[in-house]
Amino acid sequence: EAQKINYEGINHFDHELAYREQKWLQLENDLRQTNFDEDFFLTYQPKINLETKKLEGMEALVRWRHPQKGLVSPIEFISIAEENGMILSMGEWILDDALKQTRRWIEQTGEPLQVAVNVSPSQLLSANFVDLVISCINRHKLAANNLEIEITEEVMVEDTSLCNQVLSALREKGISIAIDDFGTGYSSLAYLNRFPLSKLKIDRSFVTNIHCNEGNYEIVRTIIALSKSMNLEVVAEGIEAQDELDVLNQLGCQQGQGYLFSKPLEAAEFEKIFIARQKVSSEQLTG
Ligand code: C2E
Ligand code: MG
Ligand code: MG
Ligand code: MG
């Protein structure tokens, strides 16, 4: 027996759903019309060694310049690209563009910069992913450790054995593997033993107000201690305040990233600020 819905709130909810569905379909349709080289570009956010204050690398973050909507956030379109399969070709383009750029910056600075590229679960588990990555590294005459791949915890739960195989192959070649948004996923700590990881990336939500939020402080302190005892590198994301940086320094966090240093920048601007200068002093970073 069908229940008659006469409650206005539910009606409103239906409209809301339909509206979202329509928005999604529109965006999906627009995404299909794009040309990567023309409609997408990468931004770069510096990764700073917290002890020496030197630039060690950068994270590539993709942007979509939509003809009507302006910049669309990757939070919106990556999930669509995952669902419609475009993530594979898009991911290939992102990797190629990031490595091409990194090659130039390594030449300009003479420093062994490392670029971090975000990789979606379906991309990581796709056929020939490792070969694709290796040939891209070779094409741009880079060393394997110039690349770091950022994955999220969910992929290690999704397909444990294939994931392990892929990560092992990447690590064997010398590519660094970082767990993004560490601490926010729903998986267990057991995978720190089971998977060949290089680095933990402490999620921004724990870094926020670490100087005055006791809970966050304890979580971050524990993650840093954990990574040290497991022989993993550790990086804090989302550092926005000097107070937060000071505490991370006290706790011995190796690397940091966040608006305090810089927002993600277009390549030309990143180059002006972080590459041309070569060495970035702490005054320039925080003053
Ligand atoms: P993520 O990999 O965890 O990236 C960090 C996000 O936090 C970025 O947002 C970055 O701009 C932002 N962020 C960095 N520092 C700060 C800070 O100090 N404060 C605040 N409030 N935010 C900060 P963005 O660029 O919008 O990317 C969002 C997410 O989209 C990424 O999260 C990643 O999961 C995904 N994404 C971005 N680019 C790519 C890509 O090329 N491929 C894939 N598969 N996913 C991507
Ligand atoms: Mg990331
Ligand atoms: Mg992250
Ligand atoms: Mg995040």
Side-chain angles (χ1 to χ4, degrees):
E1 194 192 26
Q3 204 187 323
K4 196 176 164 212
I5 297 170
N6 55 8
Y7 176 53
E8 270 183 28
I10 290 179
N11 233 324
H12 173 76
F13 184 68
D14 278 351
H15 283 304
E16 181 71 32
L17 267 184
Y19 175 73
R20 270 203 244 153
E21 174 103 329
Q22 203 203 331
K23 247 184 83 178
W24 194 96
L25 285 170
Q26 181 64 54
L27 217 51
E28 202 265 343
N29 188 57
D30 296 347
L31 196 57
R32 285 190 186 283
Q33 319 292 318
T34 55
N35 172 305
F36 295 133
D37 277 323
E38 283 165 22
D39 303 314
F40 291 83
F41 63 96
L42 296 184
T43 59
Y44 296 89
Q45 188 178 37
K47 290 197 176 191
I48 306 294
N49 180 312
L50 295 188
E51 202 185 327
T52 65
K53 310 295 178 200
K54 274 188 67 178
L55 176 74
E56 291 190 320
M58 53 274 160
E59 179 175 8
L61 293 155
V62 67
R63 297 289 179 263
W64 176 15
R65 208 186 280 109
H66 189 286
Q68 284 90 40
K69 297 188 171 71
L71 283 187
V72 182
S73 163
I75 293 167
E76 280 187 73
F77 69 83
I78 291 288
S79 59
I80 299 177
E82 268 170 4
E83 275 191 55
N84 76 3
M86 272 182 77
I87 193 69
L88 296 185
S89 53
M90 187 188 293
E92 225 178 303
W93 178 84
I94 290 167
L95 185 68
D96 185 72
D97 211 52
L99 291 184
K100 193 193 303 169
Q101 186 62 71
T102 301
R103 167 74 193 177
R104 274 193 237 133
W105 287 341
I106 287 174
E107 277 172 7
Q108 288 173 28
T109 59
E111 301 280 344
L113 298 173
Q114 187 180 63
V115 68
V117 175
N118 293 281
V119 170
S120 295
S122 53
Q123 216 185 330
L124 187 82
L125 302 179
S126 65
N128 301 322
F129 179 71
V130 177
D131 292 342
L132 188 145
V133 170
I134 299 300
S135 69
C136 196
I137 286 174
N138 291 337
R139 182 161 63 249
H140 296 294
K141 303 186 171 63
L142 287 165
N145 63 9
N146 295 133
L147 175 64
E148 179 160 85
I149 282 177
E150 293 193 5
I151 58 172
T152 47
E153 290 166 303
E154 57 180 301
V155 68
M156 291 185 283
V157 189
E158 250 168 51
D159 194 330
T160 309
S161 88
L162 178 59
C163 179
N164 205 341
Q165 240 174 278
V166 173
L167 295 184
S168 300
L170 293 169
R171 268 311 291 278
E172 224 166 87
K173 300 285 183 187
I175 294 160
S176 171
I177 310 286
I179 304 302
D180 208 347
D181 306 331
F182 182 76
T184 61
Y186 37 75
S187 49
S188 75
L189 290 179
Y191 63 66
L192 294 182
N193 267 331
R194 240 186 281 143
F195 294 90
L197 309 172
S198 320
K199 188 187 276 187
L200 301 182
K201 198 165 179 188
I202 307 170
D203 190 66
R204 166 156 60 88
S205 60
F206 302 128
V207 172
T208 301
N209 287 331
I210 184 183
H211 58 290
C212 56
N213 179 322
E214 214 168 303
N216 274 1
Y217 176 85
E218 285 304 326
I219 289 171
V220 171
R221 189 181 63 78
T222 304
I223 295 175
I224 292 171
L226 178 69
S227 49
K228 293 215 161 130
S229 59
M230 305 277 312
N231 237 335
L232 296 165
E233 294 171 87
V234 63
V235 54
E237 70 172 14
I239 307 171
E240 293 186 356
Q242 182 66 46
D243 285 340
E244 294 166 351
L245 176 63
D246 292 343
V247 174
L248 288 163
N249 254 326
Q250 274 167 32
L251 292 175
C253 186
Q254 292 164 343
Q255 210 179 40
Q257 207 183 333
Y259 292 171
L260 178 65
F261 302 122
S262 170
K263 291 196 171 186
L265 301 171
E266 287 193 48
E269 209 174 340
F270 188 93
E271 191 165 311
K272 250 192 280 170
I273 299 175
F274 291 100
I275 300 297
R277 219 169 258 177
Q278 222 183 84
K279 281 182 188 167
V280 186
S281 73
S282 54
E283 290 81 13
Q284 285 162 332
L285 288 173
T286 60

